[in-house]
Amino acid sequence: MVFFWKAENTENEEAQAGTDLDDLRKGIEKAKLPAPVALVVGKELERLEKMDSSNPDYTIGLNYMDYLLSLPWHSFTEDNLDLKRAENILESHHHGLRLIKERVLEYLSVRTLCSLADFQILVVDDEEIARTNLAYILKKEGYRVVTAGNGLEAVKKMKEHSFDLVLTDLKMEGMDGIQLLEYAKQQEPRPEIVLITGYATVSTAVDALQKGAAHYLPKPVDLDEIRATVRGIRDKKRHLQMTRSPVLCFAGPPGTGKTSVGCSIAEALEREFVRISLAGLRDEAELRGHRRTYVGAMPGRIINEIKRVGVKNPVFMLDEIDKIGQDFRGDPASVLLEILDPEQNQRFTDNYLDIPFDLSGVMFIATANAVDKLPEPLLDRMEVIYFPSYTAREKKMIAEQYLIPRQMREHALTRKKIEFSDGAVTKLIQDYTLEAGLRNLERQIATVCRKLARIYVQSEQDLPPLRVDESMLERLLGPRKFRHEIAVAGRQVGVTTGLVWTEFGGEIISVEAGIMNGSQQLILTGSLGSVLRESAQTALSYIRSHADIFSIDPDFFARSDIHVHIPSGAVSKDGPSAGITIVMALISLLTKRPARRDVALTGELTLSGRILPVSGIRDKLLAAQRAGVKVVILPLANEVDVQGLEADVTEGLEVVLADEVQSLVDVVFGKD
Ligand code: ADP
């Protein structure tokens, strides 16, 4: 009985294997794979045909082939290069961001020029009829075509003129196709070569491909195939011309529009849009796949996404490249370079696929909050475009024109004609969010919309259009989340306010200093990085060596310990720009003069008390505005940065520029 069941099962398996392989063969025929892939697939099919279907390798092989066939080897979307349309799309989705929009439109213009450039073909064949027929067909397709009757004549023509593609016969007197291929490879710019041969055998084909031919076609040539091949090569060349321009990297605090601009670019070009986050990425294999020899091997995320969208030229956003896991196994920069560099990504090899897949048509856009920690070689290949923090006025405008209407639509409230009062929008920004971008603002608007939706649904009678004013906002969202603590903090001895730049934009910090009996120790707490620790040491040494200027007892440190603490100990902090904030906290402590908390400082300190310039001025000023700071002290050398700013950024702030510490005493402690 058992034996009989087994026999029946084996027959079933065999029948199943037969249909599997039949399906596969049909699939291969339909897929019209590129020559190198077709070779691999052919070999794999042969291997499967010889294998018992109960062998676990058989299923692995079948899945592999299925995967190969499902990849978009040839499919791509045609770019829409209508500049006016692209401009309208960018404008309709984004307020401001002038420089970014300009850069995107320039990018599209280059692309348009590339696509309008003639594609020049050299047809080489010793048979006149074949040569003229081929030239005729290609000219009809809109290409510029020149012909040559043999290899030597072709070389002469290539010396006079550069071609994008050489279509050559293999067997010719004097100089054959392979020799011509060898010659063409040395040319700059190097043309693509397609060999046409009446003696197409697998070995000549492999030989030609190994020597660098783009493709080979058997004689008699199938006209559709030749048209498709030439079109494929032309499109690839265009993509390459475009991708040779550096990869764009959008950098800026969260919620400043990096992802949504990427989305709009895809929409403008009519390309598919893919986004993967690299945050916390641990292993190269996540991007590049596992070798098939591993149990449960899978392709990497890049190829998987390409398969999912079904085209080889999407806009592909690599989000948060600065957040790749610290414990990454392998070198993240080299993997990313292989993906992003058009020279290398033409032959991107996923470990699972084990055959190169051409990623040169993909338009990669990377995003990062801060680029300063990215490896140099990677930064070199990218053009960093900074997305600035938004001013309060910009936020208000964006909320009114984009975020509120969008959230209304998404919560099916558009028909209810709800209005937000001016004061309510300002309150939302000032009392419920504290950020450089718009993420929380949009979240808070969504919360209001949800609550409004509930009010409408639960109400017994038809409600008139609601108006969200400040008091209604407070009822819906609860008491304010943030208050201007700095503005109301008054004065304190040994505590000063500083401005620093983090990946979230500008931030306010307080520096606290205390003194106690001890033995000349400088205690530093608050998760401070090494540069910040050195700044604190510099500040202390400066005061010890200049004690008399500030009327401080020169022996103050003889029997004391000094403690400098920067609160929010859980957040690690580093950088030189807190130097003058620390020195003023120490001077306040040692002279017992209370420091104004609504005066915020930023600047690097030298041992002689000079103040050196720092970066991120715009973001820092906006953070000062958000926190209710009245006076901002900046290094004199940053004057040019301040002059280039919009009036909105400095509104309500008194900006004091200084180049040495002594002159700050009156500003920070008050003249009296
Ligand atoms: P990021 O990728 O920089 O973190 P997002 O692109 O996710 O930011 O933007 C957050 C939200 O803010 C999105 O809903 C986006 O549409 C909106 N947004 C950002 N900048 C603008 C702008 N300039 N105009 C209109 N909406 C914007």
Side-chain angles (χ1 to χ4, degrees), residues 257-322:
K258 300 182 293 295
T259 312
S260 55
V261 167
C263 242
S264 300
I265 294 177
E267 189 183 333
L269 284 169
E270 290 184 352
R271 286 196 186 197
E272 296 292 333
F273 181 69
V274 183
R275 172 175 171 238
I276 61 171
S277 170
L278 302 186
L281 191 77
R282 291 251 182 76
D283 196 337
E284 208 180 308
E286 276 182 61
L287 285 179
R288 300 249 250 127
H290 294 273
R291 294 201 173 282
R292 265 173 299 136
T293 41
Y294 288 102
V295 177
M298 278 190 312
R301 284 161 75 187
I302 303 280
I303 287 293
N304 246 343
E305 288 300 321
I306 297 280
K307 172 178 177 252
R308 193 178 60 75
V309 290
V311 285
K312 55 190 279 194
N313 66 338
V315 171
F316 202 127
M317 186 162 257
L318 296 170
D319 234 349
E320 309 191 277
I321 55 166
D322 53 337

Side-chain angles (χ1 to χ4, degrees), residues 61 139 154 209 222 234 265 271 301 322 337 438 448 482 609:
K139 274 183 192 159
L209 293 175
D222 172 341
R234 182 203 57 189
I265 294 177
R271 286 196 186 197
R301 284 161 75 187
D322 53 337
L337 274 181
L438 298 160
V448 171
F482 302 100

Side-chain angles (χ1 to χ4, degrees), residues 93-95 255-260 390 398 406 438-439 442:
H93 295 346
H94 295 96
H95 167 80
T256 44
K258 300 182 293 295
T259 312
S260 55
Y390 289 113
I398 294 173
R406 180 159 63 226
L438 298 160
R439 279 218 188 135
E442 187 162 26

Side-chain angles (χ1 to χ4, degrees), residues 394-405 425 441 445:
E394 280 172 325
K395 284 186 186 176
K396 188 152 178 257
M397 192 111 82
I398 294 173
E400 285 167 352
Q401 291 179 6
Y402 299 85
L403 305 183
I404 296 177
V425 181
L441 181 58
I445 294 171

Side-chain angles (χ1 to χ4, degrees), residues 407-610:
Q407 289 303 327
M408 289 286 172
R409 269 196 311 277
E410 283 179 12
H411 290 83
L413 288 171
T414 310
R415 289 226 211 107
K416 305 288 183 204
K417 306 225 168 351
I418 297 167
E419 248 186 72
F420 276 66
S421 77
D422 223 37
V425 181
T426 309
K427 190 173 170 61
L428 254 178
I429 295 167
Q430 283 182 354
D431 297 352
Y432 291 91
T433 65
L434 189 67
E435 57 177 352
L438 298 160
R439 279 218 188 135
N440 281 326
L441 181 58
E442 187 162 26
R443 229 172 265 148
Q444 294 296 343
I445 294 171
T447 310
V448 171
C449 290
R450 269 201 314 277
K451 292 191 187 282
L452 289 174
R454 185 163 164 211
I455 292 176
Y456 274 104
V457 172
Q458 282 186 338
S459 137
E460 312 253 296
Q461 72 264 37
D462 267 356
L463 286 180
L466 288 174
R467 182 176 155 83
V468 181
D469 56 15
E470 287 158 75
S471 65
M472 177 151 184
L473 196 70
E474 203 152 330
R475 261 181 299 161
L476 294 176
L477 292 179
R480 61 194 295 172
K481 293 214 168 98
F482 302 100
R483 48 180 65 247
H484 291 168
E485 281 156 25
I486 296 290
V488 293
R491 293 168 172 229
Q492 271 173 287
V493 170
V495 185
T496 47
T497 307
L499 287 170
V500 291
W501 193 88
T502 71
E503 57 190 52
F504 299 104
E507 298 262 353
I508 289 278
I509 54 161
S510 357
V511 172
E512 300 177 352
I515 186 162
M516 55 236 143
N517 290 339
S519 54
Q520 297 203 329
Q521 274 193 64
L522 174 64
I523 305 162
L524 301 170
T525 52
S527 298
L528 313 185
S530 59
V531 180
L532 197 42
R533 287 175 163 272
E534 284 170 11
S535 296
Q537 265 154 2
T538 311
L540 180 61
S541 302
Y542 166 72
I543 295 176
R544 288 178 70 190
S545 55
H546 294 78
D548 52 333
I549 304 181
F550 301 104
S551 314
I552 296 171
D553 170 12
D555 292 331
F556 75 89
F557 203 42
R559 283 176 299 284
S560 320
D561 283 348
I562 289 205
H563 187 161
V564 174
H565 178 62
I566 303 184
S568 316
V571 185
S572 54
K573 315 166 191 82
D574 206 1
S577 69
I580 61 167
T581 320
I582 299 175
V583 87
M584 293 319 284
L586 290 175
I587 296 174
S588 161
L589 174 76
L590 298 169
T591 57
K592 304 222 166 21
R593 293 177 73 180
R596 279 177 66 180
R597 296 299 317 280
D598 59 357
V599 174
L601 303 111
T602 182
E604 182 175 351
L605 176 74
T606 69
L607 259 189
S608 57
R610 280 190 308 117

